[in-house]
Amino acid sequence: MTSIPAATTHNQRHAVIFDCDGTLADSEPLARAAWESVLGNYGHRITDADAETVVGLDYPRVHHYYAQRFAGLPDHLTLWPQLREMMLDLIDKSLLPFDDAVSCARELAAAGVPIAVASSSPRVRLDATLEKLGLTGLFPITTAGDEVAHGKPAPDIFLKTAAALGVPATSCVVVEDSPSGIRAGHAAGMPVIAVHRADTLPPPTFDLAEIAVDALHISQFEQMLALPAHRPRSAHVEELTHD
């Protein structure tokens, strides 16, 4: 196994927080399919631009976006049961992991590096995803999008996850695939490894990430875990209005 630098001093990064959808799990196409199906029931069709805009956002923000786009959409509480059932069915039938990310997470855990998941997905979807992929026992700490007041791109979810890990926020490295997630990690003062999946926005959009890669490898974490933890947290990012 690749050697990983030990966290022997307070000025080294020594914990890793993974995003889930699009990072650990190839679930973004499933989320789009679920939204397409549910919105289709109301006579609406989404575009590639729509799908790209909502990648990485929590459910209330995604609903807010579509409610602004399409007149007559039910409120987010009314629509949620329909979307939840469609999403859980697709997860059960079709979800696949990103093996590069899962392999890195397993190697980090085996080396004693604290790891966690911070996902914009509601708890029910996050748990179903990790269970389907056999990852429930790998991450001792998981935080869902409906467990923080402000979702990505606000830093709340990463700050909450760092606190649950029992480490300073500045000791964490974030792994993300979406611009909103990268912005959230940056706002929390955490360096970000941005992984560019085939169905996400191109690397030039990852201007706030320290590293942008096409696939994850343990050597990237070795590099990031050796970074000095001195970058201050940035000002709170702007919020989208909730329904």
Side-chain angles (χ1 to χ4, degrees), residues 89-103:
D89 183 61
L90 289 170
I91 288 171
D92 184 59
K93 293 177 178 177
S94 305
L95 184 66
L96 295 173
F98 282 116
D99 290 332
D100 59 331
V102 173
S103 175

Side-chain angles (χ1 to χ4, degrees), residues 7-207:
T8 56
T9 65
H10 70 282
N11 66 342
Q12 286 185 326
R13 312 281 180 178
H14 61 270
V16 179
I17 303 175
F18 287 84
D19 171 54
C20 184
D21 300 301
T23 300
L24 290 167
D26 190 9
S27 49
E28 295 297 356
L30 305 187
R32 176 171 178 168
W35 274 105
E36 285 178 332
S37 177
V38 171
L39 292 176
N41 293 334
Y42 297 91
H44 304 307
R45 296 181 62 184
I46 65 175
T47 65
D48 289 345
D50 291 327
E52 290 174 353
T53 298
V54 302
V55 167
L57 300 181
D58 58 22
Y59 169 69
R61 285 173 172 78
V62 178
H63 178 275
H64 176 78
Y65 172 83
Y66 285 127
Q68 295 296 305
R69 284 269 287 120
F70 305 124
L73 201 64
D75 66 69
H76 71 286
L77 294 177
T78 302
L79 193 70
W80 170 239
Q82 302 173 53
L83 185 72
R84 179 190 62 212
E85 294 310 308
M86 177 63 66
M87 192 70 232
L88 293 180
D89 183 61
L90 289 170
I91 288 171
D92 184 59
K93 293 177 178 177
S94 305
L95 184 66
L96 295 173
F98 282 116
D99 290 332
D100 59 331
V102 173
S103 175
C104 287
R106 292 192 186 281
E107 192 160 353
L108 289 166
V113 175
I115 60 174
V117 171
S119 172
S120 291
S121 290
R123 172 55 64 181
V124 64
R125 176 181 165 186
L126 176 57
D127 286 350
T129 297
L130 296 177
E131 182 178 358
K132 176 65 177 179
L133 299 183
L135 301 178
T136 302
L138 181 62
F139 297 96
I141 300 296
T142 65
T143 310
D146 53 357
E147 295 169 348
V148 293
H150 305 288
K152 302 172 186 178
D156 301 35
I157 195 165
F158 289 124
L159 298 176
K160 179 180 176 70
T161 304
L165 283 169
V167 300
T170 52
S171 293
C172 298
V173 172
V174 167
V175 189
E176 269 283 358
D177 75 300
S178 72
S180 62
I182 294 165
R183 289 169 62 199
H186 181 79
M190 304 175 182
V192 180
I193 299 176
V195 56
H196 171 232
R197 303 301 187 187
D199 57 349
T200 59
L201 301 180
T205 65
F206 296 155
D207 57 331

Side-chain angles (χ1 to χ4, degrees), residues 217-238:
H217 187 272
I218 197 67
S219 61
Q220 298 149 3
F221 293 90
E222 291 179 324
Q223 179 181 351
M224 298 296 283
L225 290 170
L227 285 175
H230 57 70
R231 191 178 70 195
R233 207 170 92 199
S234 67
H236 198 285
V237 296
E238 68 273 13

